[in-house]
Amino acid sequence: MKEFWGSMASLMGVWAFGQSLLQTVIPPELRFTLSKYINRLFNWCSTYCYYDITEIDGVNTNELYNAAQLYLSTSATANGNSRLSLTRAVNSSSLTFGLSNNDRLIDFFRGVPVQWEHVVIQRQSQTLSWRHVPDEKRGFTLRIRKRDKALILNPYLDHITDKANEIKRKNQDRFLYTNSRGGGGSLDSRGHPWESVPFKHPSTFDTLAMDPKKKEEIMADLKDFAKGQSFYQKTGRAWKRGYLLYGPPGTGKSSMIAAMANYLGYDIYDLELTEVHTNSELRKLLMKTSSKSIIVIEDIDCSIDFTNRKSAKSSGNHSSSSSSGGLPLGGGGGGNDGGGNSITLSGLLNFTDGLWSCCGSERIFVFTTNHIEKLDPALLRSGRMDMHIFMSYCSFSALKILLKNYLGYEDGDLDEDVVKQLEKVIEEAEMTPADVSEVLIKNRRDSERAVAELTESLKGRAERNRAAKGVELEEEEEKRALEKLTDGNEGFDSTADHLPER
C-alpha cells in the first residue's frame, strides 16, 4: 500500500507539473481552440445527444423547464427514487414530487430510454446587479441516443407539455365565474366581464346519488370528449359538447355540474341571462371564456320568459322574425324598453351552435331545466344539446349511495327486512335525493334512528302518492264517462223547433 500511494503521489506531481508547464508555454487562445476541438471530437465519437433546459432563458422564465419539472414529478414517484423534492404550488391542494439537486432519472417514451439530470450550480456572489439574480443556476439536461433523436425528440417534448398542462389543471384550484352585474358589457375592476371565486364544491361522481350505470355512461362520454381533439379535427366539428339536465327540483342537477367540473378539471362559467341585454353582449361574454371550461345556464326556462315561436304564431304574429327564431326572449318582447331584455332565440342558438360558439375549444355547454316541455325544440336537437340526462327521483341504487355518504353503510350492513322495505317503497315515494339527504343529515349521529325515520318518511310519501293517484284515476274515469254520455247524445236537439205541430 505504501508503494501504491507513493506511485499515485508521483503521478499527481507529474500531472500538476505538466499542466503548469502547458499553461506557461501554450497561450490562452491556443488552449481555448484546442479544448474546443477536443470537445467536438468527443461529441462526434459519443452515441448520445445532450440538451440543456435552463430555468431562466435570458431574463424570461423557460416554460419548458416548468413543464419538465411537473412531468418528472410523476416519473420520479413511479421509478421509486429514494430522494425527492417536495413542493406545493399556490392555489393548490396537492403535493408535487420532483428530482433533487443533481439527481438523475431514466424515463421511457415509446420504448426508448432517455435520461434526465437536474443540474444545480451555485452562482458566484454578485454585489452589483440591476436585477435580482437567483443564487443557484437550475436546469435539466436531457440525454437521448443519436439514433433515436429524429424519432422521439419533438413528440416527446409535446408529450411532456401536454402532460404538464394536465397535471397543472388537476393540481390548481378551479374557479367559478359569473358575468358582472349590469349586463355583458359591464367590466370588473380588472377590465373583464366575468367575476370569479375559487370553486371548492366537493361533489364527485363517487358521491353523486344516481344510478351507477347512468353515471358510468356520462363519465365515458366526458372522457371521450376530453380526449377527442383529433377526432373533432378529423370530422370538421367544433370541439364542444352540450348536455341538458332536466328533472324535478332537488334531483341533483347542480351537483352533477360540479361533479363534471371536478372530473375533468374544468372551470365553470355560470351565465346569468337576466344580466345580458343584447345578442352582442352575449357574444362578448362567450369570447371571454377560456378553453377547458363548462358554460352553464341554470333554469333556462325561468331565467328568461321564453315566448317561443309556437306561442307567437298562435297569437297571430306571423312575421318573418318569428319563423327564423328572431323573437325577443325577454318578458316585454319589445327590446330594451323599461330595462327589458332583447336577447333573441336565434342569438341563444348561435351562442350554443353557431359560428361564435367555435371561438374556443374543449368547452361544454350545460343547460338545466325543471320543465323540458317548455323549451323550444330548436334548443334540444343534437349539435346543441347532444346528451339529455334525466335527473330522476331517488332510486334504490341512489339511496345506497346516500346511506354510504352520510351514515357509512356498505352493502350488507343493513338488515334484509329493512332493505326489502326500503326497496319496496322507494319508487312509489318519489322523494328527491335532496329530501332523503335532509332526513339523513338531521339524524347522522344516530344511524339506526336515521334509517327508521327515513323508512317512515318514505312510507308516508308513498301512501300520499297512492291516494293522489287514486283520486286522479277517479277523475279520469268520470271524465271518460261524461265524454261517452256526450258522444251518445250527439246530434239530438231538444229545442221546440223539432217538435211536431198540433
Side-chain angles (χ1 to χ4, degrees):
M1 290 297 293
K2 290 182 179 180
E3 294 179 358
F4 173 76
W5 287 113
S7 301
M8 288 295 296
S10 300
L11 289 175
M12 294 297 294
V14 171
W15 172 258
F17 175 75
Q19 189 176 16
S20 61
L21 180 64
L22 289 175
Q23 290 180 357
T24 305
V25 175
I26 302 176
E29 295 80 4
L30 182 59
R31 290 201 307 270
F32 176 76
T33 304
L34 288 175
S35 63
K36 181 173 65 175
Y37 282 107
I38 291 173
N39 289 332
R40 288 183 179 179
L41 179 62
F42 276 113
N43 292 334
W44 183 77
C45 296
S46 176
T47 59
Y48 292 97
C49 293
Y50 294 87
Y51 301 92
D52 293 329
I53 304 174
T54 58
E55 181 181 14
I56 298 177
D57 182 16
V59 296
N60 299 320
T61 302
N62 189 355
E63 292 296 332
L64 187 56
Y65 174 86
N66 296 330
Q69 192 174 32
L70 284 175
Y71 171 76
L72 293 176
S73 65
T74 58
S75 300
T77 54
N79 283 272
N81 286 33
S82 58
R83 188 179 184 88
L84 299 173
S85 62
L86 192 62
T87 58
R88 173 178 286 169
V90 179
N91 291 332
S92 176
S93 57
S94 61
L95 300 174
T96 301
F97 297 89
L99 284 177
S100 297
N101 297 348
N102 303 314
D103 199 1
R104 297 181 180 182
L105 180 144
I106 302 296
D107 189 31
F108 291 88
F109 181 71
R110 296 180 179 177
V112 177
V114 296
Q115 178 181 284
W116 288 89
E117 182 178 2
H118 192 203
V119 180
V120 180
I121 302 175
Q122 295 290 335
R123 296 179 184 270
Q124 295 181 355
S125 60
Q126 299 180 359
T127 56
L128 298 177
S129 178
W130 63 273
R131 64 183 179 88
H132 175 71
V133 178
D135 296 333
E136 296 177 338
K137 181 181 178 182
R138 296 174 174 270
F140 288 104
T141 298
L142 173 62
R143 190 186 74 175
I144 302 177
R145 290 196 189 103
K146 289 183 177 179
R147 65 184 183 185
D148 300 327
K149 170 186 172 182
L151 178 64
I152 72 164
L153 180 59
N154 290 331
Y156 184 48
L157 295 179
D158 293 339
H159 171 70
I160 289 173
T161 303
D162 295 339
K163 190 69 175 179
N165 290 334
E166 181 181 349
I167 296 172
K168 186 187 300 182
R169 188 171 64 252
K170 289 183 178 180
N171 288 347
Q172 69 184 8
D173 284 347
R174 284 165 291 280
F175 288 91
L176 173 64
Y177 296 85
T178 184
N179 46 312
S180 302
R181 284 197 166 273
S186 300
L187 303 176
D188 64 0
S189 58
R190 297 174 299 171
H192 298 298
W194 295 97
E195 299 173 354
S196 65
V197 293
F199 181 69
K200 297 288 188 179
H201 202 292
S203 177
T204 63
F205 279 105
D206 291 334
T207 61
L208 193 63
M210 178 185 273
D211 181 62
K213 292 183 179 179
K214 187 182 292 186
K215 284 197 293 187
E216 291 176 1
E217 180 183 354
I218 298 170
M219 293 168 66
D221 190 79
L222 291 171
K223 185 180 296 184
D224 290 341
F225 168 77
K227 296 183 177 181
Q229 182 178 11
S230 59
F231 169 78
Y232 283 90
Q233 290 179 348
K234 181 179 66 176
T235 56
R237 291 172 59 93
W239 194 8
K240 66 179 184 61
R241 192 154 180 82
Y243 294 87
L244 176 67
L245 310 182
Y246 67 99
T251 51
K253 293 184 283 293
S254 298
S255 298
M256 168 64 76
I257 296 171
M260 294 168 67
N262 289 328
Y263 181 70
L264 295 175
Y266 287 5
D267 293 331
I268 296 179
Y269 288 85
D270 185 13
L271 177 61
E272 181 58 52
L273 284 180
T274 57
E275 296 292 338
V276 185
H277 296 154
T278 62
N279 291 337
S280 62
E281 291 181 1
L282 190 62
R283 288 195 296 268
K284 290 177 183 178
L285 284 170
L286 180 63
M287 292 174 62
K288 292 297 183 179
T289 58
S290 63
S291 299
K292 301 182 184 297
S293 60
I294 301 176
I295 302 173
V296 180
I297 301 180
E298 290 195 276
D299 297 325
I300 189 171
D301 57 311
C302 300
S303 58
I304 283 185
D305 184 11
F306 271 82
T307 309
N308 61 22
R309 291 170 287 182
K310 292 183 180 180
S311 62
K313 289 180 180 179
S314 64
S315 63
N317 185 3
H318 299 284
S319 64
S320 59
S321 63
S322 175
S323 60
S324 63
L327 286 174
L329 299 182
N336 290 331
D337 297 340
N341 192 302
S342 63
I343 301 176
T344 62
L345 180 60
S346 61
L348 188 61
L349 298 181
N350 287 330
F351 177 82
T352 58
D353 191 35
L355 292 175
W356 289 102
S357 68
C358 307
C359 61
S361 61
E362 198 171 352
R363 291 188 301 190
I364 292 176
F365 293 88
V366 178
F367 290 176
T368 70
T369 179
N370 298 332
H371 306 281
I372 190 174
E373 68 278 358
K374 292 184 180 181
L375 299 183
D376 193 289
L379 277 172
L380 305 180
R381 73 165 177 82
S382 299
R384 288 165 182 155
M385 294 295 106
D386 303 288
M387 191 173 186
H388 297 185
I389 303 173
F390 176 58
M391 308 296 292
S392 63
Y393 291 107
C394 188
S395 62
F396 184 69
S397 58
L399 177 60
K400 291 194 294 184
I401 296 174
L402 293 176
L403 291 174
K404 179 181 178 181
N405 293 342
Y406 293 103
L407 305 180
Y409 279 122
E410 300 287 347
D411 290 340
D413 291 346
L414 288 175
D415 295 336
E416 293 184 3
D417 295 338
V418 176
V419 172
K420 290 180 180 179
Q421 292 180 11
L422 293 174
E423 193 172 5
K424 181 180 178 181
V425 299
I426 187 65
E427 300 295 340
E428 296 181 353
E430 295 184 352
M431 285 184 68
T432 64
D435 294 334
V436 175
S437 300
E438 184 60 28
V439 176
L440 297 179
I441 289 174
K442 291 190 300 182
N443 303 280
R444 62 184 182 276
R445 293 183 179 85
D446 190 345
S447 301
E448 295 182 359
R449 180 180 176 183
V451 174
E453 186 171 338
L454 176 61
T455 304
E456 293 299 322
S457 299
L458 291 172
K459 289 180 178 179
R461 185 72 66 89
E463 291 178 359
R464 289 194 295 272
N465 290 341
R466 283 194 294 265
K469 289 179 180 178
V471 173
E472 290 179 359
L473 289 175
E474 291 180 0
E475 292 178 351
E476 186 174 353
E477 290 178 357
E478 291 178 358
K479 184 178 180 181
R480 289 178 180 176
L482 183 60
E483 288 178 353
K484 289 181 179 180
L485 182 60
T486 304
D487 293 340
N489 295 332
E490 187 176 358
F492 176 75
D493 195 344
S494 60
T495 58
D497 293 338
H498 295 278
L499 295 176
E501 295 182 358
R502 291 183 180 178

PDB file of all heavy atoms in Angstrom, residues 213-238:
ATOM      1  N   LYS A 213     -74.994   2.810 -13.478  1.00  0.00           N
ATOM      2  CA  LYS A 213     -74.835   2.597 -14.922  1.00  0.00           C
ATOM      3  C   LYS A 213     -74.940   3.918 -15.680  1.00  0.00           C
ATOM      4  O   LYS A 213     -74.185   4.166 -16.623  1.00  0.00           O
ATOM      5  CB  LYS A 213     -75.894   1.612 -15.417  1.00  0.00           C
ATOM      6  CG  LYS A 213     -75.714   0.195 -14.903  1.00  0.00           C
ATOM      7  CD  LYS A 213     -76.751  -0.744 -15.490  1.00  0.00           C
ATOM      8  CE  LYS A 213     -76.547  -2.163 -14.983  1.00  0.00           C
ATOM      9  NZ  LYS A 213     -77.584  -3.087 -15.528  1.00  0.00           N
ATOM     10  N   LYS A 214     -75.879   4.765 -15.250  1.00  0.00           N
ATOM     11  CA  LYS A 214     -76.017   6.067 -15.903  1.00  0.00           C
ATOM     12  C   LYS A 214     -74.780   6.925 -15.645  1.00  0.00           C
ATOM     13  O   LYS A 214     -74.317   7.652 -16.536  1.00  0.00           O
ATOM     14  CB  LYS A 214     -77.272   6.771 -15.398  1.00  0.00           C
ATOM     15  CG  LYS A 214     -77.594   8.066 -16.132  1.00  0.00           C
ATOM     16  CD  LYS A 214     -78.822   8.742 -15.564  1.00  0.00           C
ATOM     17  CE  LYS A 214     -80.076   7.945 -15.830  1.00  0.00           C
ATOM     18  NZ  LYS A 214     -81.290   8.690 -15.388  1.00  0.00           N
ATOM     19  N   LYS A 215     -74.223   6.853 -14.440  1.00  0.00           N
ATOM     20  CA  LYS A 215     -73.017   7.619 -14.143  1.00  0.00           C
ATOM     21  C   LYS A 215     -71.849   7.147 -15.001  1.00  0.00           C
ATOM     22  O   LYS A 215     -71.081   7.968 -15.517  1.00  0.00           O
ATOM     23  CB  LYS A 215     -72.662   7.497 -12.652  1.00  0.00           C
ATOM     24  CG  LYS A 215     -73.539   8.330 -11.744  1.00  0.00           C
ATOM     25  CD  LYS A 215     -72.917   8.520 -10.378  1.00  0.00           C
ATOM     26  CE  LYS A 215     -72.839   7.239  -9.600  1.00  0.00           C
ATOM     27  NZ  LYS A 215     -72.393   7.465  -8.201  1.00  0.00           N
ATOM     28  N   GLU A 216     -71.696   5.847 -15.153  1.00  0.00           N
ATOM     29  CA  GLU A 216     -70.614   5.331 -15.992  1.00  0.00           C
ATOM     30  C   GLU A 216     -70.769   5.787 -17.436  1.00  0.00           C
ATOM     31  O   GLU A 216     -69.781   6.100 -18.107  1.00  0.00           O
ATOM     32  CB  GLU A 216     -70.589   3.799 -15.912  1.00  0.00           C
ATOM     33  CG  GLU A 216     -70.161   3.259 -14.553  1.00  0.00           C
ATOM     34  CD  GLU A 216     -70.232   1.751 -14.492  1.00  0.00           C
ATOM     35  OE1 GLU A 216     -70.592   1.135 -15.524  1.00  0.00           O
ATOM     36  OE2 GLU A 216     -69.923   1.185 -13.435  1.00  0.00           O
ATOM     37  N   GLU A 217     -71.995   5.826 -17.905  1.00  0.00           N
ATOM     38  CA  GLU A 217     -72.243   6.290 -19.269  1.00  0.00           C
ATOM     39  C   GLU A 217     -71.843   7.761 -19.432  1.00  0.00           C
ATOM     40  O   GLU A 217     -71.217   8.144 -20.435  1.00  0.00           O
ATOM     41  CB  GLU A 217     -73.715   6.101 -19.615  1.00  0.00           C
ATOM     42  CG  GLU A 217     -74.086   6.541 -21.014  1.00  0.00           C
ATOM     43  CD  GLU A 217     -75.575   6.397 -21.286  1.00  0.00           C
ATOM     44  OE1 GLU A 217     -76.290   5.844 -20.416  1.00  0.00           O
ATOM     45  OE2 GLU A 217     -76.021   6.836 -22.361  1.00  0.00           O
ATOM     46  N   ILE A 218     -72.191   8.593 -18.454  1.00  0.00           N
ATOM     47  CA  ILE A 218     -71.841  10.014 -18.523  1.00  0.00           C
ATOM     48  C   ILE A 218     -70.335  10.206 -18.416  1.00  0.00           C
ATOM     49  O   ILE A 218     -69.734  10.994 -19.162  1.00  0.00           O
ATOM     50  CB  ILE A 218     -72.574  10.782 -17.410  1.00  0.00           C
ATOM     51  CG1 ILE A 218     -74.089  10.682 -17.605  1.00  0.00           C
ATOM     52  CG2 ILE A 218     -72.147  12.243 -17.384  1.00  0.00           C
ATOM     53  CD1 ILE A 218     -74.882  11.216 -16.428  1.00  0.00           C
ATOM     54  N   MET A 219     -69.692   9.487 -17.516  1.00  0.00           N
ATOM     55  CA  MET A 219     -68.247   9.607 -17.360  1.00  0.00           C
ATOM     56  C   MET A 219     -67.511   9.170 -18.618  1.00  0.00           C
ATOM     57  O   MET A 219     -66.521   9.808 -19.029  1.00  0.00           O
ATOM     58  CB  MET A 219     -67.789   8.783 -16.152  1.00  0.00           C
ATOM     59  CG  MET A 219     -68.285   9.319 -14.811  1.00  0.00           C
ATOM     60  SD  MET A 219     -68.017   8.159 -13.447  1.00  0.00           S
ATOM     61  CE  MET A 219     -66.240   8.119 -13.379  1.00  0.00           C
ATOM     62  N   ALA A 220     -67.970   8.100 -19.254  1.00  0.00           N
ATOM     63  CA  ALA A 220     -67.340   7.643 -20.500  1.00  0.00           C
ATOM     64  C   ALA A 220     -67.502   8.686 -21.604  1.00  0.00           C
ATOM     65  O   ALA A 220     -66.576   8.931 -22.385  1.00  0.00           O
ATOM     66  CB  ALA A 220     -67.944   6.306 -20.930  1.00  0.00           C
ATOM     67  N   ASP A 221     -68.674   9.327 -21.658  1.00  0.00           N
ATOM     68  CA  ASP A 221     -68.903  10.358 -22.666  1.00  0.00           C
ATOM     69  C   ASP A 221     -68.001  11.561 -22.423  1.00  0.00           C
ATOM     70  O   ASP A 221     -67.443  12.138 -23.366  1.00  0.00           O
ATOM     71  CB  ASP A 221     -70.368  10.772 -22.646  1.00  0.00           C
ATOM     72  CG  ASP A 221     -70.742  11.657 -23.821  1.00  0.00           C
ATOM     73  OD1 ASP A 221     -70.952  11.123 -24.922  1.00  0.00           O
ATOM     74  OD2 ASP A 221     -70.806  12.885 -23.635  1.00  0.00           O
ATOM     75  N   LEU A 222     -67.838  11.965 -21.169  1.00  0.00           N
ATOM     76  CA  LEU A 222     -66.962  13.087 -20.843  1.00  0.00           C
ATOM     77  C   LEU A 222     -65.505  12.762 -21.165  1.00  0.00           C
ATOM     78  O   LEU A 222     -64.769  13.608 -21.691  1.00  0.00           O
ATOM     79  CB  LEU A 222     -67.097  13.443 -19.362  1.00  0.00           C
ATOM     80  CG  LEU A 222     -68.422  14.060 -18.922  1.00  0.00           C
ATOM     81  CD1 LEU A 222     -68.485  14.140 -17.398  1.00  0.00           C
ATOM     82  CD2 LEU A 222     -68.619  15.444 -19.527  1.00  0.00           C
ATOM     83  N   LYS A 223     -65.084  11.532 -20.879  1.00  0.00           N
ATOM     84  CA  LYS A 223     -63.704  11.149 -21.159  1.00  0.00           C
ATOM     85  C   LYS A 223     -63.434  11.130 -22.662  1.00  0.00           C
ATOM     86  O   LYS A 223     -62.384  11.597 -23.122  1.00  0.00           O
ATOM     87  CB  LYS A 223     -63.419   9.778 -20.546  1.00  0.00           C
ATOM     88  CG  LYS A 223     -61.963   9.337 -20.667  1.00  0.00           C
ATOM     89  CD  LYS A 223     -61.748   7.978 -20.052  1.00  0.00           C
ATOM     90  CE  LYS A 223     -62.001   7.990 -18.556  1.00  0.00           C
ATOM     91  NZ  LYS A 223     -61.693   6.669 -17.942  1.00  0.00           N
ATOM     92  N   ASP A 224     -64.380  10.601 -23.430  1.00  0.00           N
ATOM     93  CA  ASP A 224     -64.219  10.598 -24.885  1.00  0.00           C
ATOM     94  C   ASP A 224     -64.139  12.018 -25.431  1.00  0.00           C
ATOM     95  O   ASP A 224     -63.384  12.295 -26.363  1.00  0.00           O
ATOM     96  CB  ASP A 224     -65.384   9.854 -25.548  1.00  0.00           C
ATOM     97  CG  ASP A 224     -65.334   8.365 -25.279  1.00  0.00           C
ATOM     98  OD1 ASP A 224     -64.252   7.864 -24.918  1.00  0.00           O
ATOM     99  OD2 ASP A 224     -66.380   7.700 -25.423  1.00  0.00           O
ATOM    100  N   PHE A 225     -64.918  12.926 -24.856  1.00  0.00           N
ATOM    101  CA  PHE A 225     -64.878  14.311 -25.311  1.00  0.00           C
ATOM    102  C   PHE A 225     -63.523  14.950 -25.002  1.00  0.00           C
ATOM    103  O   PHE A 225     -62.930  15.606 -25.861  1.00  0.00           O
ATOM    104  CB  PHE A 225     -65.991  15.111 -24.642  1.00  0.00           C
ATOM    105  CG  PHE A 225     -65.867  16.599 -24.826  1.00  0.00           C
ATOM    106  CD1 PHE A 225     -66.225  17.182 -26.029  1.00  0.00           C
ATOM    107  CD2 PHE A 225     -65.363  17.400 -23.806  1.00  0.00           C
ATOM    108  CE1 PHE A 225     -66.093  18.558 -26.205  1.00  0.00           C
ATOM    109  CE2 PHE A 225     -65.226  18.761 -23.983  1.00  0.00           C
ATOM    110  CZ  PHE A 225     -65.597  19.342 -25.188  1.00  0.00           C
ATOM    111  N   ALA A 226     -63.025  14.770 -23.773  1.00  0.00           N
ATOM    112  CA  ALA A 226     -61.770  15.409 -23.377  1.00  0.00           C
ATOM    113  C   ALA A 226     -60.584  14.891 -24.175  1.00  0.00           C
ATOM    114  O   ALA A 226     -59.616  15.626 -24.407  1.00  0.00           O
ATOM    115  CB  ALA A 226     -61.526  15.205 -21.875  1.00  0.00           C
ATOM    116  N   LYS A 227     -60.645  13.634 -24.617  1.00  0.00           N
ATOM    117  CA  LYS A 227     -59.537  13.047 -25.379  1.00  0.00           C
ATOM    118  C   LYS A 227     -59.811  13.006 -26.876  1.00  0.00           C
ATOM    119  O   LYS A 227     -59.111  12.301 -27.609  1.00  0.00           O
ATOM    120  CB  LYS A 227     -59.267  11.629 -24.876  1.00  0.00           C
ATOM    121  CG  LYS A 227     -58.793  11.568 -23.424  1.00  0.00           C
ATOM    122  CD  LYS A 227     -58.482  10.152 -23.010  1.00  0.00           C
ATOM    123  CE  LYS A 227     -57.948  10.104 -21.581  1.00  0.00           C
ATOM    124  NZ  LYS A 227     -57.620   8.710 -21.160  1.00  0.00           N
ATOM    125  N   GLY A 228     -60.798  13.763 -27.339  1.00  0.00           N
ATOM    126  CA  GLY A 228     -61.220  13.644 -28.726  1.00  0.00           C
ATOM    127  C   GLY A 228     -60.787  14.768 -29.634  1.00  0.00           C
ATOM    128  O   GLY A 228     -61.480  15.048 -30.625  1.00  0.00           O
ATOM    129  N   GLN A 229     -59.673  15.440 -29.330  1.00  0.00           N
ATOM    130  CA  GLN A 229     -59.256  16.559 -30.172  1.00  0.00           C
ATOM    131  C   GLN A 229     -59.019  16.125 -31.606  1.00  0.00           C
ATOM    132  O   GLN A 229     -59.485  16.762 -32.554  1.00  0.00           O
ATOM    133  CB  GLN A 229     -57.991  17.202 -29.599  1.00  0.00           C
ATOM    134  CG  GLN A 229     -57.509  18.410 -30.402  1.00  0.00           C
ATOM    135  CD  GLN A 229     -56.291  19.067 -29.795  1.00  0.00           C
ATOM    136  OE1 GLN A 229     -55.674  18.524 -28.885  1.00  0.00           O
ATOM    137  NE2 GLN A 229     -55.934  20.234 -30.275  1.00  0.00           N
ATOM    138  N   SER A 230     -58.289  15.040 -31.807  1.00  0.00           N
ATOM    139  CA  SER A 230     -58.005  14.575 -33.165  1.00  0.00           C
ATOM    140  C   SER A 230     -59.278  14.157 -33.877  1.00  0.00           C
ATOM    141  O   SER A 230     -59.425  14.383 -35.091  1.00  0.00           O
ATOM    142  CB  SER A 230     -57.015  13.405 -33.113  1.00  0.00           C
ATOM    143  OG  SER A 230     -57.541  12.327 -32.354  1.00  0.00           O
ATOM    144  N   PHE A 231     -60.230  13.567 -33.152  1.00  0.00           N
ATOM    145  CA  PHE A 231     -61.491  13.148 -33.778  1.00  0.00           C
ATOM    146  C   PHE A 231     -62.286  14.356 -34.266  1.00  0.00           C
ATOM    147  O   PHE A 231     -62.800  14.360 -35.389  1.00  0.00           O
ATOM    148  CB  PHE A 231     -62.315  12.342 -32.769  1.00  0.00           C
ATOM    149  CG  PHE A 231     -63.733  12.088 -33.220  1.00  0.00           C
ATOM    150  CD1 PHE A 231     -64.014  11.106 -34.147  1.00  0.00           C
ATOM    151  CD2 PHE A 231     -64.773  12.855 -32.719  1.00  0.00           C
ATOM    152  CE1 PHE A 231     -65.323  10.877 -34.572  1.00  0.00           C
ATOM    153  CE2 PHE A 231     -66.081  12.638 -33.133  1.00  0.00           C
ATOM    154  CZ  PHE A 231     -66.351  11.641 -34.060  1.00  0.00           C
ATOM    155  N   TYR A 232     -62.386  15.387 -33.433  1.00  0.00           N
ATOM    156  CA  TYR A 232     -63.151  16.572 -33.826  1.00  0.00           C
ATOM    157  C   TYR A 232     -62.483  17.301 -34.988  1.00  0.00           C
ATOM    158  O   TYR A 232     -63.155  17.840 -35.865  1.00  0.00           O
ATOM    159  CB  TYR A 232     -63.331  17.507 -32.629  1.00  0.00           C
ATOM    160  CG  TYR A 232     -64.396  17.048 -31.658  1.00  0.00           C
ATOM    161  CD1 TYR A 232     -64.084  16.219 -30.590  1.00  0.00           C
ATOM    162  CD2 TYR A 232     -65.718  17.416 -31.825  1.00  0.00           C
ATOM    163  CE1 TYR A 232     -65.053  15.784 -29.705  1.00  0.00           C
ATOM    164  CE2 TYR A 232     -66.702  16.988 -30.951  1.00  0.00           C
ATOM    165  CZ  TYR A 232     -66.368  16.172 -29.891  1.00  0.00           C
ATOM    166  OH  TYR A 232     -67.335  15.734 -29.015  1.00  0.00           O
ATOM    167  N   GLN A 233     -61.143  17.327 -35.018  1.00  0.00           N
ATOM    168  CA  GLN A 233     -60.453  17.952 -36.135  1.00  0.00           C
ATOM    169  C   GLN A 233     -60.644  17.151 -37.419  1.00  0.00           C
ATOM    170  O   GLN A 233     -60.826  17.720 -38.501  1.00  0.00           O
ATOM    171  CB  GLN A 233     -58.966  18.090 -35.808  1.00  0.00           C
ATOM    172  CG  GLN A 233     -58.660  19.120 -34.735  1.00  0.00           C
ATOM    173  CD  GLN A 233     -57.187  19.209 -34.424  1.00  0.00           C
ATOM    174  OE1 GLN A 233     -56.391  18.363 -34.846  1.00  0.00           O
ATOM    175  NE2 GLN A 233     -56.791  20.234 -33.670  1.00  0.00           N
ATOM    176  N   LYS A 234     -60.601  15.830 -37.296  1.00  0.00           N
ATOM    177  CA  LYS A 234     -60.735  14.985 -38.480  1.00  0.00           C
ATOM    178  C   LYS A 234     -62.125  15.077 -39.082  1.00  0.00           C
ATOM    179  O   LYS A 234     -62.289  15.076 -40.312  1.00  0.00           O
ATOM    180  CB  LYS A 234     -60.423  13.526 -38.100  1.00  0.00           C
ATOM    181  CG  LYS A 234     -60.515  12.546 -39.259  1.00  0.00           C
ATOM    182  CD  LYS A 234     -60.163  11.152 -38.793  1.00  0.00           C
ATOM    183  CE  LYS A 234     -61.198  10.622 -37.810  1.00  0.00           C
ATOM    184  NZ  LYS A 234     -60.918   9.224 -37.405  1.00  0.00           N
ATOM    185  N   THR A 235     -63.142  15.182 -38.237  1.00  0.00           N
ATOM    186  CA  THR A 235     -64.521  15.227 -38.732  1.00  0.00           C
ATOM    187  C   THR A 235     -64.996  16.647 -39.048  1.00  0.00           C
ATOM    188  O   THR A 235     -66.112  16.816 -39.545  1.00  0.00           O
ATOM    189  CB  THR A 235     -65.470  14.605 -37.691  1.00  0.00           C
ATOM    190  OG1 THR A 235     -65.308  15.279 -36.431  1.00  0.00           O
ATOM    191  CG2 THR A 235     -65.159  13.126 -37.508  1.00  0.00           C
ATOM    192  N   GLY A 236     -64.170  17.661 -38.751  1.00  0.00           N
ATOM    193  CA  GLY A 236     -64.552  19.030 -39.054  1.00  0.00           C
ATOM    194  C   GLY A 236     -65.604  19.594 -38.120  1.00  0.00           C
ATOM    195  O   GLY A 236     -66.349  20.502 -38.510  1.00  0.00           O
ATOM    196  N   ARG A 237     -65.673  19.103 -36.910  1.00  0.00           N
ATOM    197  CA  ARG A 237     -66.644  19.579 -35.931  1.00  0.00           C
ATOM    198  C   ARG A 237     -65.946  20.445 -34.889  1.00  0.00           C
ATOM    199  O   ARG A 237     -64.766  20.259 -34.592  1.00  0.00           O
ATOM    200  CB  ARG A 237     -67.332  18.407 -35.219  1.00  0.00           C
ATOM    201  CG  ARG A 237     -68.254  17.601 -36.096  1.00  0.00           C
ATOM    202  CD  ARG A 237     -68.717  16.353 -35.350  1.00  0.00           C
ATOM    203  NE  ARG A 237     -69.403  16.680 -34.123  1.00  0.00           N
ATOM    204  CZ  ARG A 237     -70.712  16.833 -34.009  1.00  0.00           C
ATOM    205  NH1 ARG A 237     -71.480  16.716 -35.082  1.00  0.00           N
ATOM    206  NH2 ARG A 237     -71.260  17.109 -32.851  1.00  0.00           N
ATOM    207  N   ALA A 238     -66.696  21.405 -34.354  1.00  0.00           N
ATOM    208  CA  ALA A 238     -66.165  22.221 -33.263  1.00  0.00           C
ATOM    209  C   ALA A 238     -66.000  21.346 -32.024  1.00  0.00           C
ATOM    210  O   ALA A 238     -66.857  20.490 -31.732  1.00  0.00           O
ATOM    211  CB  ALA A 238     -67.091  23.389 -32.966  1.00  0.00           C
TER     212      ALA A 238
END
